[in-house]
Amino acid sequence: MDGEIIAFDDAAQQGTIETPDGQRYAFGLTDWRGRGLPGPGIAVRFDPRGQRASQVLNRPEPQRRARPCPPTATPDAASPRHANAAIAAVVVAILGLFFDVLAPLFGAVAVLFALFGLYQIRRSPERYRGRLFCWVAIALAAVVTLLSGLLATAPASPASAHVNVMPGETAGWQSSAIASRSSQG
């Protein structure tokens, strides 16, 4: 017979089942054969024995037809992520700013990372993005390398050519005065 559990007392381990025609049957936890613990609102099938129910089971439900789930956006499938090599290229190119002597080395490493990043992006564009990062890293590495090369080869002014001029004096007069003192002394 089919029915529905309308009440179940956990402390007393007793419950009541009501059938569709309004009859009520008592059952105990020892009569329960269903999944989990019994509780109100559970549809059951049972064997009536007078005013008691025995062999109380969850009512079998007809198999439901599977509904297609709406597509959910997963982080990997929905939007491609930046290629790790592209991010590394930008970071290494920026690090080249802080190491004057090693700037050409950092620039070369940044260009290699950028080229590898472009290769990754070209090979699987649905998975990776960051082409702009790669090109920015190449440009930044070139600028940093050029600047470090220009600063390293800038001629230093010799100390002897530097003349201190006092306010109100001209450089020519001071240099002639120094020359005359050195000839006198």
Side-chain angles (χ1 to χ4, degrees):
M1 182 175 276
D2 292 338
E4 183 176 317
I5 299 175
I6 57 170
F8 187 79
D9 183 14
D10 289 330
Q13 296 185 349
Q14 296 290 319
T16 307
I17 299 173
E18 185 175 46
T19 61
D21 60 355
Q23 292 183 334
R24 293 186 179 200
Y25 295 90
F27 74 100
L29 189 59
T30 56
D31 298 318
W32 177 251
R33 304 284 183 264
R35 294 181 305 270
L37 293 174
I42 297 177
V44 293
R45 181 167 285 168
F46 62 96
D47 293 331
R49 307 267 163 120
Q51 290 299 317
R52 297 237 2 121
S54 63
Q55 298 293 323
V56 181
L57 303 167
N58 295 83
R59 187 175 352 176
E61 295 181 16
Q63 186 172 0
R64 296 180 191 169
R65 180 172 289 229
R67 312 178 250 153
C69 294
T72 58
T74 59
D76 294 333
S79 64
R81 62 187 184 117
H82 289 318
N84 292 337
I87 296 170
V90 171
V91 169
V92 170
I94 290 173
L95 281 176
L97 290 169
F98 300 104
F99 298 98
D100 294 337
V101 177
L102 298 175
L105 177 66
F106 276 96
V109 171
V111 168
L112 288 176
F113 275 136
L115 291 174
F116 182 69
L118 287 171
Y119 171 74
Q120 278 183 324
I121 294 166
R122 190 187 74 210
R123 197 175 78 214
S124 55
E126 69 281 348
R127 187 171 177 197
Y128 295 114
R129 65 180 178 178
R131 189 169 284 135
L132 181 65
F133 273 159
C134 293
W135 289 112
V136 165
I138 290 172
L140 186 61
V143 167
V144 168
T145 303
L146 285 173
L147 286 177
S148 71
L150 290 174
L151 293 176
T153 60
S157 61
S160 61
H162 185 70
V163 176
N164 289 333
V165 179
M166 297 296 285
E169 298 176 357
T170 61
W173 176 82
Q174 186 180 14
S175 60
S176 63
I178 293 173
S180 67
R181 270 193 236 150
S182 57
S183 64
Q184 290 175 359

